[in-house]
Amino acid sequence: MASLQFHGNVNANIRYDVSLDPARESNLFGLLMGLQLAMGMEPNPRLPKWWPKWLNLGGKFLAKFYCSMVIFTSLHLGVLFTKTTLDVLPTGELQAITDALTMTIIYFFTGYGTIYWCVRSRRLLLYMEHINREYRHHSLAGVTFVSSHAAFRKSWNFTAVWIMACLLGVITWGVTPLILGIRMLPLQCWYPFDALAPVTYSAMYATQLFGQVLVGVTFGFGGSLFVTLSLLLLGQFDVLYCSLKNLDAHARLLSGESVNGLRLLQEELLLEDSTRELNQYAVLQEHPTDLLMMLAGRQSPGPGNAFHSALVECVRLHRFILHCSLELENLFSPYCLVKSLQITFQLCLLVFVGVSGTREVLRIVNQLQYLGLTLFELLMFTYCGELLSRHSIRSGDAFWRGSWWKHAHFIRQDILIFLVNSRRAVHVTAGKFYVMDVNRLRSVITQAFSFLTLLQKLAAKKAETEL
């Protein structure tokens, strides 16, 4: 077995258990990168180095052209729905106005999201590569361990399910005319020509259906990217906390402690479910280490104190997590600001249309799908932000579980520096104005229903005027 000094970092062959500690993943973001490229949010893809120069130039040109086409599709539908909204405003029909305004907001945000990730694509790629290169795939060698592969598996499963749910919601809306067997477009918006004419109908239908797919993917990509990064960072915090908990065990393991002494320590740290401290870890699960395998592969410790060396590695991991968290904030702060405004208005309009609109079955199903996806998307951003904020300041708690006081004479100054830095909470904000947490969830819903009350009063007033 290789060195027991720490996680092995980029060495995928260092594993504590064949089934519970899978090999290191070389790319944690393969699904998201493929989705970003497929839906026109990567204008500068990294093409194979063996491609000839002419093919490389052609590939880059096609990528930029495809991104431009995707952006134009979203924005031109937003402009058409803006014209539709302006046309129905004089009629005073609140249902028609809210329908058109809802689609206007959706398509302009789709255009904004696509442009935003195109502009940030290079920075996002560097961020992903940095995480792939530096993340720790399991904790410090000790009597217990956690594997970050569980966080990767959860993030991959969530991304797949969320993208499929978003596509299902928008495609159902897009194929409604086909289900009903009527000749009409899925999106009722203004055109400067007859969109139902035989020459233009098929092209307009395909364009609107493609636009609906773009809506689903754009909404799904932003949310799944945020949840994936949040889960991976929470997993790295869990790796850090398990490493801090095993600092004393790590030092005793390298110093030649007997297997009986290590088993007693293992039983002390890994208590039964009825007596174990709750919520030590956010996404990972702690497992006992195979002590016989560890002792068989044990090497002599290098020069210096093993406890101090392990603490230094934990500090490096903590600095890596804080750096990645800061970059997460920089990437998502402008996006979350616009996303919060979009969700507030969209939630209000969807609820109003659902309450005051017609009672067609397919229409109700589509409205419920959009409403459910919107609410869940808001919950994703705020709940993951809350988890990061709360879990990021628990380094001190994990440190106390590691019996550090037995080695205090080696690490006096290091303890003070580490404990001060451990109180730096991670926050994801919306435009630096407010934190994305459960308080923001409550305020967005409150604002949305305030607008809903205003719309209902306007509708009631209009009904009284007509009487």
Side-chain angles (χ1 to χ4, degrees), residues 152-166:
F152 163 73
R153 187 175 63 251
K154 290 178 181 178
S155 65
W156 196 98
N157 291 338
F158 177 86
T159 298
V161 172
W162 176 240
I163 293 296
M164 291 299 295
C166 291

Side-chain angles (χ1 to χ4, degrees), residues 95-106:
Q95 181 181 330
I97 294 172
T98 51
D99 276 346
L101 189 57
T102 300
M103 299 310 297
T104 302
I105 293 173
I106 287 174

